[in-house]
Amino acid sequence: MQKLNDDNYYSQAANEAFFSVSQYKDFCKCEAMALAKIRGEFEQKQTKAMLIGTLVDRWFEGTLDKLREESPNIFYCRNGALRADFRKADEIIKRVQKDDRFMLYMSGEKQKILTFEMFGAPWKMKMDSFVQDICITDLKVVQNFKSLAFWRYDLQGAVYQAGVETCGYGRLPFYLAATTKEAVTDFDIFQIDQPTLDMALREIEGKLPRFIAVKAGLEKPHYCGVCDYCKSVKKARIRNYSELLEG
Ligand SMILES: [Zn+2]
């Protein structure tokens, strides 16, 4: 695998060669789905709600124009105006832009890619904002603050902190620059504290040997049976109607 850059970071070759936070989370959810994604046999459908986050990401990255060229019909109408579904992204950008602290945490080097070895496997990561010697910040556009914990960003913080340290940049704090898609946008900077990051890293260390073996084809993947991938490859079973009435 050659050096990772913006063009090949999300490629199949890169996903086969490296673990990433999202790949690790896929393995936790369903090993069969994770493998299918790595092999390019399955792609998670992007919802409109997720694409609002993409727009905000790309604005901070300074690549909105490129996005407009790449996918002209998804985000924009023929007359060039942003589609109604995505106006929330515009509102969020306009709101956080007026906040000095939010912009300060997002003012680092954008989309910096690092690769490193950890727990016996090669890893890749891409940071939203990296301020050398100061902090790592990841931008999150979520439904509301309560949903932040659901997405397990502690795992991301743990890997990013470890990656930055392994690559010789020292141990830096990890922050989420979070904004909400609520009717009136809320936004704050959340620090994930060190004990939480340490615990998340230990969790990854514990689970990774199994995932490395599955990814290498040494062990058979477990099928969760309920995810979109499992549904797409399943065969019909005879089931008892009564099981639907339980619980
Ligand atoms: Zn599954």
Side-chain angles (χ1 to χ4, degrees), residues 26 29-34 222-231 233:
D26 283 345
K29 267 183 248 158
C30 176
E31 294 173 355
M33 177 267 287
H222 176 253
Y223 287 70
C224 76
V226 293
C227 74
D228 286 349
Y229 173 70
C230 286
K231 281 192 280 183
V233 294

Side-chain angles (χ1 to χ4, degrees), residues 132-192:
Q132 204 162 332
D133 301 327
I134 306 287
C135 70
I136 308 158
T137 306
D138 213 75
L139 178 68
K140 298 298 175 198
V141 180
V142 290
Q143 205 48 52
N144 51 54
F145 285 155
K146 283 255 180 287
S147 58
L148 277 175
F150 169 79
W151 290 107
R152 294 296 316 269
Y153 294 127
D154 54 329
L155 296 168
Q156 184 181 14
V159 171
Y160 281 24
Q161 184 183 62
V164 163
E165 195 170 9
T166 305
C167 291
Y169 295 102
R171 174 168 277 210
L172 301 183
F174 179 80
Y175 296 93
L176 298 173
T179 87
T180 73
K181 289 178 271 194
E182 293 163 305
V184 176
T185 298
D186 202 354
F187 58 98
D188 272 316
I189 309 291
F190 289 88
Q191 179 174 9
I192 304 189

Side-chain angles (χ1 to χ4, degrees), residues 179-246:
T179 87
T180 73
K181 289 178 271 194
E182 293 163 305
V184 176
T185 298
D186 202 354
F187 58 98
D188 272 316
I189 309 291
F190 289 88
Q191 179 174 9
I192 304 189
D193 60 36
Q194 199 55 47
T196 306
L197 293 176
D198 292 343
M199 210 155 64
L201 200 64
R202 281 200 297 274
E203 180 184 325
I204 295 168
E205 184 178 21
K207 287 184 179 171
L208 204 65
R210 159 82 191 161
F211 298 161
I212 291 172
V214 171
K215 190 173 175 180
L218 301 173
E219 284 183 48
K220 280 203 166 58
H222 176 253
Y223 287 70
C224 76
V226 293
C227 74
D228 286 349
Y229 173 70
C230 286
K231 281 192 280 183
S232 76
V233 294
K234 71 180 273 183
K235 289 190 167 60
R237 297 179 288 138
I238 305 289
R239 297 168 66 178
N240 190 330
Y241 177 77
S242 301
E243 75 183 68
L244 302 174
L245 309 176
E246 290 161 9

